[in-house]
Amino acid sequence: MRSAAAWLASEPAAVQAEFLDGLSEAELRALPWLFDFWAMEHQLPPEGDWRGWVILGGRGAGKTRAGAEWVRSMVEGPRADSPGRARRVALVGETIDQAREVMVFGESGIMACAPPDRRPDWIATRRMLRWPNGAEARLFSAHEPEALRGPQFDAAWVDELAKWKKGEEAWDMLQFCLRLGDDPRVCVTTTPRNSQALKALLAQPTTRRTHAPTMANRANLAAGFLEEVQRRYAGTRRGREEIEGEMLAEAEGALWPTELIEGARVAEAPAMSRIVVAVDPPVTAHAGSDECGIVVVGAVTDGPPQDWRAYVLEDASLSGASPLDWARAAIAARERHGAERIVAEVNQGGQMVETILRQIDPLIPYRAVRAHAGKAARAEPVATLYEQGRVKHLAGLSGLEDQMALMTRTGFEGRGSPDRVDALVWALTEAILVPAAAWRRPRLRAL
């Protein structure tokens, strides 16, 4: 992912001097404006035939610079007054202000990237840029899709598509505008989020994508910024989107949307009243089998049940593990956290689950649980605890959280079985819901 400039910077001084001495005075003057020389791999357009190029990246990964330079490559010709490939360009941001302040006048925007002899004029009254060769770019807001009804273009740069409130409507209107020239194209620069418009675009066979995390551009970012975002967001779903530039899945109508999960995050847990380890064993044990869900939950049960809080301490789930392997992992998790017992679903394994656990530790505190309702029905009361702010997450639960984001009231929309979520549901049921029901029963009888 290194640029030619990064390669040259890593070479000995003699090699650097030889390279620079070999350039003419004109080439030296042009070098700062040759983006192909400075660009990282993810900032360069894909080769071949495509209609849409999506640059997915973390914050500060160089997406804006790549979009601005792509516009330059489309509108500029060999000389300042020579025509380029594109004559009419649409610049679409979430708002007009963001399009102007980021895409046009930002530190990595079009004006900052343009050589002095090719710098466009800004015509504020028309929200337009005009280059010396006559090419024009007009600014649009994704909040006003109807403004895209009528104009036509041979290129477009779209910024932060995943954030657009009217994403699908604005994107569709833009497609009808891309009808000039022989090969109209669009460049999309965005931090990935669970957006229908972005997902639909990425699914198109004519779309190409490049990707980079924030750290790919660390040479151009403040060290303090990198330290702070890593400290606060590393290992979280938000961090995987905003720092790693990952496209995370989230089901429509998820019981645990990303905002709910992120709102549950804490740096550490207090002293616990009780801790349990829940196990959701797989039916089979081979490389392609379901995971064995193993989740550790602690609870603070001081006062009445409405004041109780739970903390998800660890996701120790395993893939392709033998029964002895997952049994050892569950017992090891209990020992690490000082859990009072292991609970395990026995719908599939029956007595076998307890037998395997007791082969390793004959005195293990254990309780079998059996499902009498579907996965979604069992999950809903637990999701309610999250909505009430009564469940918190420690770091390191990304695999579990990915499954949670795909669980809906009608079932699991991911691949395979949601074994981690099943284990979470059993753990929180054992830690909070079962003792809360027992706490209330004597009081109801007294009434």
Side-chain angles (χ1 to χ4, degrees), residues 88-96 99 103 127 137-159 161 164 166-180 186:
R88 299 290 181 268
V89 182
L91 304 177
V92 191
E94 185 179 12
T95 66
I96 286 292
M103 302 172 78
R127 297 173 177 173
R138 291 180 56 189
L139 273 64
F140 295 89
S141 166
H143 284 312
E144 301 173 359
E146 287 298 313
L148 288 162
R149 186 183 294 277
Q152 53 187 352
F153 305 98
D154 46 12
W157 173 22
V158 164
D159 191 45
L161 171 64
W164 292 2
K166 299 180 179 180
E168 291 178 273
E169 185 180 355
W171 178 258
D172 288 344
M173 291 300 294
L174 177 62
Q175 302 318 297
F176 290 115
C177 298
L178 289 171
R179 56 181 186 263
L180 290 181
V186 58

Side-chain angles (χ1 to χ4, degrees), residues 47-362:
E47 296 181 357
D49 186 24
W50 51 268
R51 180 175 174 85
W53 170 32
V54 180
I55 308 173
L56 294 174
R59 297 285 187 94
K63 303 184 297 295
T64 302
R65 177 69 185 273
E69 293 285 359
W70 180 78
V71 171
R72 274 192 62 202
S73 73
M74 295 296 288
V75 301
E76 291 180 5
R79 294 187 302 273
D81 58 354
S82 301
R85 292 179 53 188
R87 299 282 293 173
R88 299 290 181 268
V89 182
L91 304 177
V92 191
E94 185 179 12
T95 66
I96 286 292
D97 286 348
Q98 290 180 0
R100 182 181 63 247
E101 299 304 320
V102 176
M103 302 172 78
V104 176
F105 291 105
E107 292 183 355
S108 300
I110 290 171
M111 298 298 275
C113 297
D117 64 330
R118 301 177 186 218
R119 185 163 293 140
D121 292 324
W122 169 244
I123 307 171
T125 56
R126 299 185 64 188
R127 297 173 177 173
M128 175 188 291
L129 290 170
R130 181 175 290 140
W131 276 265
N133 65 2
E136 295 177 348
R138 291 180 56 189
L139 273 64
F140 295 89
S141 166
H143 284 312
E144 301 173 359
E146 287 298 313
L148 288 162
R149 186 183 294 277
Q152 53 187 352
F153 305 98
D154 46 12
W157 173 22
V158 164
D159 191 45
E160 295 297 353
L161 171 64
K163 289 175 55 184
W164 292 2
K165 298 296 189 295
K166 299 180 179 180
E168 291 178 273
E169 185 180 355
W171 178 258
D172 288 344
M173 291 300 294
L174 177 62
Q175 302 318 297
F176 290 115
C177 298
L178 289 171
R179 56 181 186 263
L180 290 181
D182 297 328
D183 186 21
R185 292 186 171 190
V186 58
C187 172
V188 177
T189 53
T190 187
T191 303
R193 287 189 182 178
N194 192 55
S195 153
Q196 286 300 121
L198 179 57
K199 289 193 293 186
L201 172 60
L202 291 172
Q204 292 296 317
T206 54
T207 298
R208 301 292 181 269
R209 76 166 83 178
T210 57
H211 165 265
T214 297
M215 291 298 290
N217 196 33
R218 59 187 176 276
N220 298 309
L221 301 172
F225 163 77
L226 295 172
E227 291 170 4
E228 180 65 10
V229 296
Q230 287 289 346
R231 182 185 67 80
R232 292 188 61 181
Y233 301 111
T236 69
R237 282 181 66 82
R238 185 66 70 218
R240 290 166 62 195
E241 285 183 337
E242 302 284 355
I243 303 174
E244 301 302 325
E246 289 185 40
M247 185 74 180
L248 302 181
E250 182 180 310
E252 187 73 25
L255 287 172
W256 291 280
T258 295
E259 290 74 14
L260 191 61
I261 295 172
E262 291 302 320
R265 206 168 301 288
V266 293
E268 58 184 19
M272 298 291 147
S273 305
R274 61 198 307 259
I275 298 174
V276 298
V277 177
V279 181
D280 183 65
V283 179
T284 58
H286 54 77
S289 66
D290 292 332
E291 295 176 310
C292 176
I294 303 172
V295 173
V296 185
V297 166
V300 178
T301 55
D302 300 328
Q306 61 266 27
D307 295 336
W308 295 358
R309 298 291 183 269
Y311 294 80
V312 184
L313 305 175
E314 184 183 357
D315 174 13
S317 303
L318 297 175
S319 298
S322 71
L324 280 176
D325 286 338
W326 60 249
R328 290 191 184 101
I331 291 172
R334 174 182 175 269
E335 292 172 351
R336 276 196 303 277
H337 295 277
E340 66 179 47
R341 72 170 60 185
I342 292 177
V343 297
E345 182 179 339
V346 297
N347 284 49
Q348 302 293 340
Q351 188 64 33
M352 178 200 72
V353 176
E354 181 176 3
T355 300
I356 294 169
L357 287 167
R358 296 202 183 282
Q359 283 181 15
I360 301 169
D361 184 349

